[in-house]
Amino acid sequence: MAWLYMLLLLNSCILSSALEEEDYIAPRYNISLDLPPEQRWKPILQHYNVTELKEISNRLLMSMKYQLSKSIICYMADIYLDFYVQEPYAGEMRGIAKTVGVRPCEVVLINLYYETIMACTSIITEDKEGNIYHGRNMDLFLANMFKKITMDVDFIKNGQIAYTGTTFVGFVGLWTGQSPYKFTISANSREKNNVLWKNTLSMLLNRSPVSWLIRNTLNEAPDYQSAVSQLSNTPIISEMYFTVAGAKPGEGAAITRDRNGAADVEHLNASNGTWFLLQTNYDRWLTQPRHDNRRDIGIAALNSTEQENINKVSLYEVLSIPKVLNRGTVHTTMMSAAFPQDYVSWIRVLKESNDFFMFLLRQQHNLGIDLAELLKTLHKN
Ligand SMILES: *[C@@H]1O[C@H](CO)[C@@H](O)[C@H](O)[C@H]1NC(C)=O
Ligand SMILES: *[C@@H]1O[C@H](CO)[C@@H](O)[C@H](O)[C@H]1NC(C)=O
Ligand SMILES: *[C@@H]1O[C@H](CO)[C@@H](O)[C@H](O)[C@H]1NC(C)=O
Ligand SMILES: *[C@@H]1O[C@H](CO)[C@@H](O)[C@H](O)[C@H]1NC(C)=O
Ligand SMILES: *[C@@H]1O[C@H](CO)[C@@H](O)[C@H](O)[C@H]1NC(C)=O
């Protein structure tokens, strides 16, 4: 085993020397809700190279596994856009397609495809003073590509920020967002192998794509309770987890969604020791898969952080421990509805050494050792 110790020692040195990760803040733009939907995204798109956006669009479309010919799928997507998509989303997607110079059906397909394949970690915490923090990691396939098009957007109505969200260029829905002084929301996908075609029937029944429901809720819900209720009860096209945090003590909920309603809602309650909620991509009452146990790793980190030490910085650290932060992590968004100006998304930069560390972590079962314990021992000595 000597070689392994050497390897670990070496790696833990590289790891500590690489602690100054060059995470950077995502670009932030205003979008005016007072403009017609078709025109809203144009000023943002002008910050991007249209040729590169087209390439990204092609890569995303290629990553979909078509079971029908492309022209039939595109035809279906156009019908969906014309007859089923609610405003402002239909108009916004048409405007994006026109500005970038791609077909509307392509924008629709990309928007719907990415409804269902987010592997993420969301955490809500309450500190001893009753301050609520909400942090989330967004993990996606093709992460490096998504890092280039991640942005925070302030949606402006009558010169005021109506709500804020994090999305990708070309995507009109939100998976992460904040209604200032009221609540914050993040969504994590629930279903395995959840591809577009499985959802087609569900879509034709006119249910809401999840990212649109989130944006609607940010736009409409007058308070935290109404947001929890809207996210719990509105029919959606695929199963999902919603994490909702408010601005007052005790306002935090982790909602496990079936398509038609809530399967389970867990509430924050610091007075009985439930000072945090953590949601990944598995039902919390089930045993977590060994190959992806972000839940237990995150909970152990929160347990050892303790409620008196939780704050924006320590929550970010929990979202940065290996496995919780991984090769697929595109951004970490930090929010707190009571302090809306603090909303920020960090694009995560994973160093090679950390990747190597991840590789070792994944191998730990094969090697028959507990690397975390081993690392702890090495650090102590
Ligand atoms: C846009 O990207 C393409 C492909 O990477 C490149 O060839 C072109 O020069 C870029 N255009 C501008 C204006 O930067
Ligand atoms: C965005 O809109 C807000 C509210 O109207 C304004 O204060 C801010 O300066 C705008 N930011 C940019 C970059 O235009
Ligand atoms: C604490 O309270 C919450 C909300 O009332 C409840 O869901 C949870 O089961 C309680 N936990 C314990 C350990 O009593
Ligand atoms: C929080 O937990 C305590 C102790 O279990 C319980 O008495 C109280 O009703 C809970 N609060 C809420 C809002 O559920
Ligand atoms: C975290 O702490 C709780 C309460 O003390 C305990 O029940 C749970 O097993 C701990 N979980 C982990 C993963 O350490």
Side-chain angles (χ1 to χ4, degrees), residues 28-31 154-162:
R28 187 166 192 141
Y29 303 108
N30 278 351
I31 183 167
D154 289 312
F155 293 80
I156 311 290
K157 219 187 273 179
N158 303 321
Q160 301 280 341
I161 297 177

Side-chain angles (χ1 to χ4, degrees), residues 28-32 39-49 53 99 149 151-155 167-170:
R28 187 166 192 141
Y29 303 108
N30 278 351
I31 183 167
S32 169
Q39 294 168 26
R40 289 177 185 170
W41 293 92
K42 202 172 173 187
I44 293 180
L45 293 168
Q46 277 159 0
H47 290 93
Y48 293 82
N49 179 328
L53 288 182
T99 309
I149 55 170
M151 57 185 174
D152 283 345
V153 180
D154 289 312
F155 293 80
T167 189
F168 308 108
V169 177

